[in-house]
């Protein structure tokens, strides 16, 4: 965490009138004291920076301001310093006393609008006011027991408003190949893409190899073993379409790391460790349990549709009991997740990382394990350990779940 | 030609009132007698099929009808037969006497419109009427000396109106790889495509290899020699971006056939032999000659733009004299081609085959040699023979030009 350069950190400026509870709010979020908390006006004499890791966003830094409405001797200088915070902030957290909006809050919002910085409004001491405005994040910064709840709500809001570049994805596959190395890409015989095309995840993977000074050998599953045999040196990694994972694993010598496009995209667009833990939950399904299948494309369902037909069939065969399955497609995602024992998200090649991470957060908040198509398929085919082995942290998460 | 199945032939139904000159028109086009020509009404007693090869479209078959306005004894039966022609026709050639349009021509046009079949109107015996309607193709079917002119005009019109599937392209590269074989695809280090993407010709080539049960090894020019070295068997073909053709040829052992994406697309979208002959014309350029460069994308010109900067520079360096260069982009193509000594067409990855073939026909009609970017580059780098060698007919055309 300490090695992330400042510019890669999401800068969250914390504004609020004197004594609205900025420092106690920050303590609540950080779980430790970083600025001097006091009931006396203007104890904080400069902008205090508090870096922390706020997954799934990653490294952030809170900028604790001294309060622009301050009226003590040092006030003017502090206003200067505080205003400069607007130049550095990616997101503004504006603490209100309950839902009260005074000239101070209005001036911060106006300045933020002028600078096009998103604002998250927090109703602090919400127990004092009972705010009706649902756009406020409610908290009581002195109630340490509420920490988990406040943190989850804050993360969800940050994920919603923060600039795209902070939803930084891990590499697609560049870390799995050496410069000058080779990736084997194994694609289906019934190529799903329209004539003359490849599906986007395949193109992105070929491109990522090139961007990392490596090459890709693209072949169908039928030619895969032959292609391995004509190589004088082993490839760095083999990557296949999930639907042929069993055959690829069978054809791949144990010393060659292998995985699936779907698992690469689980990492790129989502959170591989959480999805790995979610995959382990498949083994705990019981008769009558409900499973949510979330497909991002609202494509015309094919006869042997992966989300509607194949995954439900493989899941039922694997768990050996009848589970009930709901399929949501496109932007649809149920509000009430609590009835589900498992959620299975598609590869998300048409979604951005923000959207997939939001779904993971929603599932986590509702206590529902979530995995993705490729990991669910690999688990039901009995090869998830093998195809997770290129990702030790995710494999650990799976083993310990 | 005889082996092309009927359904792959463009069916051209020839309609016209009795004695308007259908049979003599057909004889003129075919250059030989196929149906009985007579001045007596209704000599042709059934639909006569005349197959022929009409490049660049390929195999066509003319359906010579007996004339729906026929009034002789056999008339009714013949009308039945003739009407069934509408079910088979891809294009209708409607012969008028001059530009006269009687109820007969109107009924044919109405039927064609109903069946959504394109109609080419021909003013026969045009010397009798001097038609003012420029949409008519003018001819005098008894003037055998006009054959070349009529044929060229007819081909241009057929190219314009015939259904897409008859502008049948040759294979992209499937004929250059064996089943189970391997193509090396060498792409630039400065990948021109946006982040996470490949340019369309590369994707189409990878897909075409897969469709032909072969594999592709995709690498950058820097890794190419290394990738060749890790193969136990030689690839079937190596294909590179034109801009690195010199390096690829240098790195490719003589026993491995090699070519460029641009040459593959010259064949797919255009006419490889004609482009090869056009490339030979580069050597005949003289000081002050004008060269037309036609670029199909109207993209923002880059600093080192291939069409505007690199090809003009390579051309001038190679011919050693100053040639004048006009660049046309997008759908623009000059009407008056006669001032040019050479036309150089881009790869046409954003154009369809119909459009590129039309340009070739226009250049040919104006006596202007035409080649494409990739072949022009290979010629100016001195390696065209090598990269044409996978295509013996085109190499012959080049050698004999």
């Amino acid at each position: 965490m300490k090695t992330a350069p400042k510019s890669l950190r999401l800068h969250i400026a914390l504004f609020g009138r004197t004594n609205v509870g900025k420092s106690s709010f920050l303590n609540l979020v950080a779980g430790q004291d970083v600025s001097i908390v006091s009931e006396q006006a203007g104890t904080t004499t400069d902008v205090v920076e508090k870096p922390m890791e706020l997954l799934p966003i990653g490294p952030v830094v809170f900028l604790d301001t001294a309060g622009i409405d301050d009226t003590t001797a040092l006030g003017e200088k502090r206003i200067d310093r505080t205003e400069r915070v607007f130049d550095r902030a990616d997101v503004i957290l504006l603490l209100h006393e309950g839902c009260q909006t005074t000239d101070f809050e209005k001036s911060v919002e106006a300045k933020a609008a002028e600078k096009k910085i998103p604002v998250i409004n927090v109703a602090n001491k919400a127990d004092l006011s009972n705010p009706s405005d649902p756009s406020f994040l409610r908290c009581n910064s002195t109630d340490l027991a509420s920490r988990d709840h406040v943190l989850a709500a804050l993360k969800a809001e940050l994920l919603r408003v923060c600039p795209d570049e902070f939803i930084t994805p891990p590499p697609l596959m560049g870390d799995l190949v050496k410069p000058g190395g080779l990736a084997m890409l194994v694609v289906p015989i019934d190529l799903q893409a329209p004539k003359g095309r490849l599906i986007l995840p395949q193109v992105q993977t070929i491109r990522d190899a090139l961007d990392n000074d490596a090459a890709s050998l693209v072949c169908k599953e039928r030619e895969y073993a032959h292609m391995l045999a004509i190589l004088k040196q082993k490839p760095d990694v083999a990557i296949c379409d999930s639907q042929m994972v069993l055959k690829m694993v069978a054809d791949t010598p144990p010393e060659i790391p292998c995985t699936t496009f779907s698992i690469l995209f689980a990492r790129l667009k989502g959170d591989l460790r959480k999805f790995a833990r979610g995959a382990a939950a498949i083994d705990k399904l019981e008769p009558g349990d409900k499973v949510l299948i979330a497909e991002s494309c609202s494509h015309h369902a094919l006869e042997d549709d992966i989300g509607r037909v194949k995954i439900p069939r493989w899941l039922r065969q694997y768990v050996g009991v009848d589970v009930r399955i709901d399929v949501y497609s496109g932007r649809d995602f149920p509000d009430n997740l609590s009835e589900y024992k498992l959620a299975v998200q598609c590869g998300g090649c048409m979604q951005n990382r923000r959207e997939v991470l939001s779904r993971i957060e929603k599932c986590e908040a509702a206590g529902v394990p979530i995995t993705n198509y490729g990991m669910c398929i690999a688990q039901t085919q009995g090869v998830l350990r093998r195809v997770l082995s290129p990702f030790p942290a995710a494999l650990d998460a799976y083993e310990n779940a």
Side-chain angles (χ1 to χ4, degrees), chain A:
Chain A
M1 187 187 94
K2 293 287 177 196
T3 61
K6 199 162 206 167
S7 61
L8 292 181
R9 286 187 182 279
L10 182 74
H11 281 56
I12 307 165
L14 184 64
F15 282 95
R17 272 175 290 147
T18 309
N19 289 335
V20 76
K22 293 188 296 296
S23 297
S24 64
F25 176 82
L26 198 49
N27 289 348
L28 179 72
V29 167
Q32 55 178 294
D33 283 5
V34 274
S35 53
I36 309 146
V37 180
S38 157
E39 289 297 311
Q40 194 188 322
T43 306
T44 319
T45 54
D46 203 352
V47 171
V48 173
E49 298 194 7
K50 171 58 186 166
M52 61 183 282
E53 190 76 7
L54 213 60
L55 290 172
I57 292 161
V60 303
V61 58
F62 284 95
L63 308 174
D64 185 8
T65 64
I68 287 176
D69 68 344
D70 186 79
T71 50
T72 61
L74 287 168
E76 207 168 318
K77 199 175 174 189
R78 292 160 76 187
I79 290 169
D80 277 357
R81 285 181 176 151
T82 309
E83 286 210 323
R84 257 181 278 140
V85 171
F86 277 98
D87 295 332
R88 299 168 57 200
D90 298 305
V91 176
I92 285 165
L93 263 183
L94 179 53
L95 252 68
H96 301 241
E97 178 140 342
C99 276
Q100 281 178 39
T101 298
T102 69
D103 286 348
F104 170 79
E105 287 84 11
K106 283 179 189 157
S107 73
V108 172
E109 290 197 321
K111 188 94 182 163
E114 180 198 323
K115 300 231 169 199
K116 297 189 170 50
I117 307 170
V119 176
I120 298 174
N121 286 297
V122 182
N124 197 18
K125 308 179 191 173
D127 54 329
L128 302 176
S129 61
N130 194 20
S132 57
D133 188 336
S135 74
F136 278 67
L137 193 158
R138 294 176 62 173
C139 89
N140 182 348
S141 60
T142 56
D143 177 9
L144 295 181
S146 70
R147 180 172 189 258
D148 288 353
H149 172 76
V150 171
L151 204 56
L154 176 63
K155 279 157 67 164
E157 276 301 288
L158 284 173
L159 204 51
R160 197 174 63 78
V161 304
C162 81
D164 284 341
E165 62 265 35
F166 289 99
I167 319 264
T168 314
L172 201 175
M173 58 80 88
D175 56 332
L176 304 179
V177 285
K178 298 184 299 287
L182 181 67
M184 302 292 289
L185 309 188
V186 191
V187 301
I189 285 177
D190 59 328
L191 294 157
Q192 304 116 321
K195 198 168 172 290
R197 299 290 186 280
L198 297 171
I199 58 172
L200 191 53
Q202 293 160 4
V203 171
Q204 285 182 273
T205 306
I206 297 167
R207 173 62 187 256
D208 202 52
L210 292 169
D211 287 339
N212 286 281
D213 301 329
S216 300
L217 198 157
V218 190
C219 63
K220 289 186 295 190
E221 65 211 77
R222 205 166 44 195
E223 281 78 49
Y224 172 54
H226 169 66
M227 291 299 157
L228 277 179
I230 69 165
L231 295 176
K232 287 181 194 161
Q233 63 183 56
K234 70 180 179 71
D236 294 339
V237 66
I239 301 158
C240 76
D241 187 277
S242 287
Q243 300 187 54
M244 62 188 63
V245 65
L246 210 53
K247 173 160 169 52
M248 181 202 61
V249 164
D251 284 349
T252 307
E255 66 275 17
I256 300 176
C258 63
T259 192
T260 69
F261 289 107
S262 186
I263 289 173
L264 292 180
F265 276 77
R267 184 170 69 147
L268 187 75
K269 295 292 181 82
D271 185 312
L272 199 57
R273 276 179 293 186
K274 288 181 184 169
F275 280 153
R277 273 199 293 272
I282 293 172
D283 290 5
K284 295 168 195 147
L285 288 175
E286 291 181 3
D289 277 354
K290 284 189 82 173
V291 174
L292 167 67
I293 292 187
E295 182 152 276
S296 299
C297 321
S298 47
H299 66 253
H300 177 72
L302 303 168
E303 201 180 321
D304 206 22
D305 196 68
I306 180 88
R308 283 168 185 78
V309 181
K310 287 186 177 171
I311 289 183
R313 186 174 65 215
W314 287 326
L315 258 182
R316 290 187 178 114
Q317 284 172 344
Y318 176 75
V319 297
V321 297
D322 194 32
V323 289
R324 291 177 299 157
I325 288 171
D326 286 350
V327 178
Y328 278 74
S329 74
R331 293 266 175 273
D332 266 8
F333 201 70
D335 286 327
N336 182 17
L337 289 163
S338 60
E339 57 180 315
Y340 296 105
K341 292 289 184 250
L342 176 70
V344 186
Q345 165 69 39
C346 78
C349 58
M350 302 308 288
Q351 280 180 303
N352 65 17
R353 185 164 162 81
R354 188 195 302 270
E355 202 171 346
V356 179
L357 290 176
S358 295
R359 289 185 170 186
I360 294 174
E361 292 298 309
K362 277 182 194 163
C363 285
E364 200 163 46
V368 180
I370 179 167
T371 189
N372 91 333
Y373 275 22
M375 293 167 97
C376 175
I377 294 170
Q379 175 71 356
T380 61
Q381 313 269 306
V383 293
L384 185 58
R385 273 189 185 79
R386 175 76 201 273
V387 291
L388 269 188
S389 55
F391 313 98
L395 186 60
D396 269 2
Y398 171 77
E399 305 277 10
N400 296 323

